[in-house]
Amino acid sequence: MTNPTAPFAGRTVYRVGYGALQLERLRDRREDAVALVRRAVELGVDHVDTAEFYGFGFANDVLRETLRPEDDVMVVTKVGAAPDPGGPMPLRLAQRPAELRAAVEDNLRSLGTDRLAVVNLRRLDTGPGVRAEGDQIVDLDDQLAVLTALRDEGKIGAIGLSCVTLDGLRRALPAGIVCVQNAYSLVSRDDEDMLRLCTAEGIAWVPFFPLGGAMPGLPKVTEEPAVRAVAESLGVTPSQVGLAWLLHHAPNVLLIPGTADPAHLEANVAAGDVSFDAAALATLDAVRSRSSQILLG
């Protein structure tokens, strides 16, 4: 990778970070969870994505225990949903302004800090997943107003958006958006216009489901014949090719692949060192994109 780092919310981070969602799989092996996060830091990861609703607070708890000030890791969290252990799903929507403020306070408390570097507002306007209903249908401007107030209070450093449409991003630009998290991969490139806007505006593009296939009906990057062929020619894994393609596709892409396995973590980070020649990149660019607009639930 020609550019191993990129600007993000006023600082520079390594472009391969870590998504803490999978830490929940280590709930009964807390020492392993701590060791995994420490290993990520040792590998150079300085951008971790989390949320209070990951594992009902377990991910944040592990991060609070593991990360040290001298590690200088940017911890990014998100709001818009809340844990719901007794509900039909482990999450409930929490889109109303008062709920967003409460979620910020919950993240501050569970992470043991007085300021969150970046908070992503998880909308439900696009991408795979549920849609807001009833009193959870909230105007974007009302949500940005409370997040801007929290930023003015010093509790938030910067604001990001997730599951947002192109129109929503354009409306939000005056609020000072630093990143967008949408479902996006080599095989699901619906948001190409939004990625171009983010690149032009200096906004980090932080795709979730970077290898596709995380939900039923989504195509998988690793099953693409072209991806497998390039991986074999380079002596790397199809997953590494899928991640590396994202890094080569635009300079503002930041990755947050998640895993509970140390070897997988090392392979993900090593994807940052995978390079393509012009022929390999052209082969990957030619892979057909399929829509990720699949509603579930």
Side-chain angles (χ1 to χ4, degrees):
M1 180 170 52
T2 55
N3 297 306
T5 62
F8 183 27
R11 59 174 285 181
T12 299
V13 298
Y14 185 58
R15 292 180 67 196
V16 182
Y18 175 70
L21 175 64
Q22 299 298 328
L23 285 178
E24 182 182 10
R25 292 163 53 193
L26 300 173
R27 178 179 291 277
D28 297 328
R29 296 154 51 198
R30 187 183 183 90
E31 290 184 0
D32 289 344
V34 170
L36 186 75
V37 176
R38 284 305 321 159
R39 182 59 180 146
V41 175
E42 291 168 2
L43 292 168
V45 168
D46 57 3
H47 165 209
V48 173
D49 181 83
T50 187
E52 169 64 20
F53 52 82
Y54 286 177
F56 307 137
F58 179 74
N60 279 6
D61 194 39
V62 168
L63 294 176
R64 184 185 67 238
E65 176 183 340
T66 309
L67 297 178
R68 308 159 186 161
E70 58 268 28
D71 295 327
D72 196 27
V73 172
M74 174 180 281
V75 177
V76 176
T77 188
K78 62 180 65 66
V79 296
D84 190 20
M89 295 178 63
L91 295 179
R92 61 175 176 82
L93 300 184
Q95 294 278 305
R96 298 193 304 271
E99 293 173 313
L100 299 181
R101 178 174 282 274
V104 166
E105 297 290 352
D106 287 343
N107 278 283
L108 288 167
R109 183 167 50 253
S110 59
L111 287 168
T113 185
D114 57 7
R115 181 177 179 271
L116 302 171
V118 180
V119 171
N120 284 310
L121 166 61
R122 175 137 191 196
R123 294 278 296 180
L124 301 140
D125 301 326
T126 186
V130 298
R131 293 291 183 266
E133 298 178 345
D135 66 0
Q136 288 299 310
I137 300 176
V138 182
D139 188 79
L140 175 60
D141 291 340
D142 293 337
Q143 294 176 316
L144 290 172
V146 70
L147 292 177
T148 301
L150 286 160
R151 187 177 59 192
D152 293 343
E153 294 165 23
K155 294 182 177 181
I156 290 176
I159 300 168
L161 296 172
S162 178
C163 295
V164 67
T165 62
L166 180 58
D167 178 65
L169 174 58
R170 286 176 174 146
R171 285 176 56 196
L173 286 177
I177 303 303
V178 299
C179 63
V180 169
Q181 286 189 1
N182 274 20
Y184 181 88
S185 72
L186 173 63
V187 294
S188 295
R189 303 192 298 275
D190 294 342
D191 285 336
E192 203 68 27
D193 288 343
M194 197 174 341
L195 171 53
R196 280 193 285 269
L197 177 60
C198 286
T199 305
E201 295 286 341
I203 296 171
W205 183 257
V206 191
F208 64 87
F209 299 165
L211 296 174
M215 285 185 173
L218 291 180
K220 293 180 173 64
V221 171
T222 54
E223 294 178 353
E224 286 294 322
V227 171
R228 290 180 171 274
V230 171
E232 184 176 0
S233 71
L234 295 177
V236 298
T237 69
S239 293
Q240 288 175 314
V241 169
L243 295 175
W245 177 85
L246 288 164
L247 295 173
H248 284 77
H249 189 55
N252 56 321
V253 169
L254 301 178
L255 300 181
I256 47 169
T259 182
D261 179 77
H264 193 191
L265 170 70
E266 293 179 8
N268 288 341
V269 174
D273 297 323
V274 174
S275 296
F276 303 123
D277 61 21
L281 197 55
T283 296
L284 295 172
D285 287 345
V287 170
R288 184 172 65 91
S289 171
R290 277 91 83 194
S291 176
S292 65
Q293 306 301 315
I294 300 170
L295 290 181
L296 302 172

